[in-house]
Every structure is written in structure tokens, then in C-alpha cells.
Amino acid sequence: MWTFILRRLLQSAIVIIGVTLITFTALQMSGDPTYLYVSERATAEEIQRTREALGFDRPLPEQYLTFLGNLLQGDFGNSLSYKRPAIEAVMDALPATLELTIFAMMLAIIVAIPLGVVASLNRGSATDGSVMTMAMLGQSIPSFWLGIMMIMFFGLQLRILPISGHVPFIMPLIQGDFVRAFTNLPQTLYYLIMPGFAVAFYSISRNARLVRSSMLEVLGQDFVRTARSKGISERAVVIHHALRNAWLPVVTMIGLEFGFLIGGVVVVEIVFSWPGLGRLVFNAINQRDIPVVQAAVVVLAMVFIALNLIVDLIYARIDPRVKL
């Protein structure tokens, strides 16, 4: 088991180095970064002094090693827009994105698993057809379009859900203000309903299809037929035998779910004016705030890699063959 963990940690370290190399290369491909740090009226001498002060006149390998060393200290430089350390701007926006992503992921799991199980148990019926039609529709609708339609119908037409706004929950938890965090929780969930569903709808549809196909495969195996022949109730067969063995591909997908949802969050945050990392990165790209973009990419990559590592360990616990 320890060999498996060490191997996964080594792979994660290699991926993180690859991410830092890509973010560093992207900065160089955008042109001479010196011009981002000087005014439009700067003289050639001022530009050269700034270039030397920031180390952009050094060879690229040396610049990358410096960038890597600063990264290990959490130093991504100062934001060009916010005039403060880029990592601070990213970490301030990260809790709102985590709230939206975790809510959407929980929604995708809680809704998709029952839908997939019901569809598999009623294969070929109208129920199965309805679930699969919904799944096909969910995988065809862009999250930003769904968000706009929900704003128009639930927010502007019916006026039952807020079209924008955010009540923090994770940030007070981090600050140790537990009373405020749990006081905010009902309002936090209220403001999460529309953006969370817009992000989760695609994942609900995909996961429902995955659970259905996995359950159908397991339900046709000999041990399920043996359990039924012993007179075990259908509920026990489904929950304790079929669903338990159908978990492996589902666990893998749940682990990857965070990365997929983060991709959807970026656009949905803009639609709902959600003060998260997606909107921060979008604004930073428009303003060419490279330090913020680099910090956000590296932080998200590390979160995603950490979650994948956790899922790998859970998978190895569920199926010991994986460690081999």
C-alpha cells in the first residue's frame, strides 16, 4: 500500500511541475512580460531597468527556476489590477468557487445515483426512456444557456430565486467564526440553487447514464442471480450486492467530477455574477493580469491533483487489485 501511495505522490509531483512549466511558458508566449509592469509612456531606459529588476533579461531556464523557487514560497508576484499579492486575490475568491463546486457535485451525486438505479431496474420501460431522454438533453444544453434561462424564468418571471448575490459559508469557517458560518448556511444554499443546478445538470445527466450502465452490467452477473435465488429481497439485492459492486466506475467519475465542474463554474460564475475564482480569472485574462492567472491555474491544478490522489486511495481500498 505504501508503495502505491509513494508512486501516486511521485506522479502528482511530476504533474504539478508540468503545470508550472506550462503556466511559465504561457507567460513567455504572450510577449515580453516587462511591458505589463510599466506605463505606456515609459522610456526605453525605464523599460530596461524594469526588465533587469524583474529578472526578465536572464536566460529562460534561470527564469523558470526562479519562478519555481518563488512558487514554493507561495509568491506569484503582485496582481497588476488589485495591487496586492496575486495569491491573496486567488485565495479570497477560492472559497466561493469551492462552495459552488461542492454544492454542484453533491447535487450531481445525490440526484444521479437514484435516477441511474431506477432506470436500470426498469430497463426498456417509460421510466428508463424518460431518464435517458433527460440525460441526453442535459448533456446537450450548455451550462451558461441553462443559467440564463433559469434567471429569466425563476428570477425575473416568477421572482422566487435570486439572480445574483452570494452569502459566504466557507470563509467564516476558515476564519473560525462557526456561529456566523452556520447562521449563513440557509441563505448560502438559497443563493446556490440556480448556479449550482446550472453547473450540475450536465454532470447529473452523465452520471445517471454511467450508474445505469454499470448497474445493468452488475445485475446480469451470476452472483446477483444467486442472491435472488436464495430469496433475498430485491431491495437487499440492489443495495447490498448490485450497487456495492457497481461503485467502482462511479467512484472514479466522482473523483474526476471536481475538475469537470470547475470548468463549468468559470462560465456560470460570470452569468450569475458569482464572486469566485472563475470570474476572477476571466477578468484577469481581459486585463492581462498574468500573476493572478498563473496563481489561479496552479492552485486549481493542486486542488484537482490532491482530490485525484484521494480518489485513487479510496479506489485502491475498494478494489485491492488496483494496487497491483
Side-chain angles (χ1 to χ4, degrees), residues 111-133:
V111 176
I113 291 177
L115 286 177
V117 171
V118 169
S120 66
L121 295 177
N122 297 276
R123 183 179 185 181
S125 67
T127 302
D128 183 26
S130 300
V131 172
M132 288 302 98
T133 302

Side-chain angles (χ1 to χ4, degrees), residues 38-288:
V38 296
S39 67
E40 295 179 357
R41 297 180 180 180
T43 63
E45 291 78 9
E46 291 173 338
I47 294 173
Q48 182 59 30
R49 282 199 302 270
T50 303
R51 184 181 289 114
E52 292 174 358
L54 296 174
F56 294 144
D57 60 328
R58 302 172 188 169
L60 287 180
E62 185 179 344
Q63 290 187 45
Y64 175 68
L65 291 176
T66 302
F67 170 74
L68 206 57
N70 292 336
L71 186 149
L72 292 175
Q73 302 174 36
D75 182 9
F76 291 87
N78 288 329
S79 166
L80 305 179
S81 305
Y82 302 99
K83 308 302 179 184
R84 60 176 179 145
I87 191 65
E88 289 185 6
V90 169
M91 297 310 292
D92 285 347
L94 183 60
T97 295
L98 290 178
E99 288 168 359
L100 181 54
T101 306
I102 292 170
F103 179 81
M105 186 161 61
M106 292 176 63
L107 198 62
I109 295 169
I110 292 171
V111 176
I113 291 177
L115 286 177
V117 171
V118 169
S120 66
L121 295 177
N122 297 276
R123 183 179 185 181
S125 67
T127 302
D128 183 26
S130 300
V131 172
M132 288 302 98
T133 302
M134 183 276 296
M136 187 177 298
L137 186 66
Q139 291 184 288
S140 305
I141 296 177
S143 58
F144 69 88
W145 183 87
L146 178 60
I148 293 171
M149 293 300 105
M150 291 174 69
I151 287 174
M152 293 176 62
F153 184 69
F154 294 106
L156 301 178
Q157 188 79 20
L158 300 181
R159 297 181 180 275
I160 59 175
L161 292 173
I163 62 175
S164 64
H166 167 248
V167 178
F169 173 72
I170 291 181
M171 183 59 80
L173 280 181
I174 295 173
Q175 296 171 345
D177 192 350
F178 299 105
V179 174
R180 181 186 165 210
F182 287 99
T183 302
N184 288 350
L185 185 56
Q187 283 294 309
T188 301
L189 296 175
Y190 180 60
Y191 280 93
L192 278 168
I193 292 174
M194 281 210 294
F197 186 79
V199 173
F201 190 44
Y202 177 87
S203 296
I204 290 172
S205 305
R206 183 189 56 205
N207 291 351
R209 295 183 66 179
L210 176 65
V211 172
R212 175 185 180 273
S213 61
S214 183
M215 281 291 294
L216 287 175
E217 181 181 353
V218 172
L219 287 171
Q221 294 184 7
D222 291 339
F223 72 89
V224 175
R225 287 194 290 268
T226 302
R228 283 172 171 161
S229 66
K230 290 181 177 179
I232 300 175
S233 67
E234 187 66 16
R235 177 188 176 89
V237 169
V238 171
I239 296 177
H240 298 292
H241 293 78
L243 187 58
R244 182 178 180 182
N245 286 276
W247 262 115
L248 293 178
V250 178
V251 168
T252 303
M253 184 54 66
I254 290 173
L256 299 174
E257 197 72 44
F258 189 86
F260 294 134
L261 291 174
I262 283 289
V265 160
V266 173
V267 180
V268 172
E269 283 186 356
I270 298 168
V271 172
F272 288 93
S273 298
W274 191 264
L277 205 51
R279 197 174 70 164
L280 178 73
V281 171
F282 179 79
N283 292 334
I285 291 172
N286 286 336
Q287 298 164 2
R288 296 200 67 194

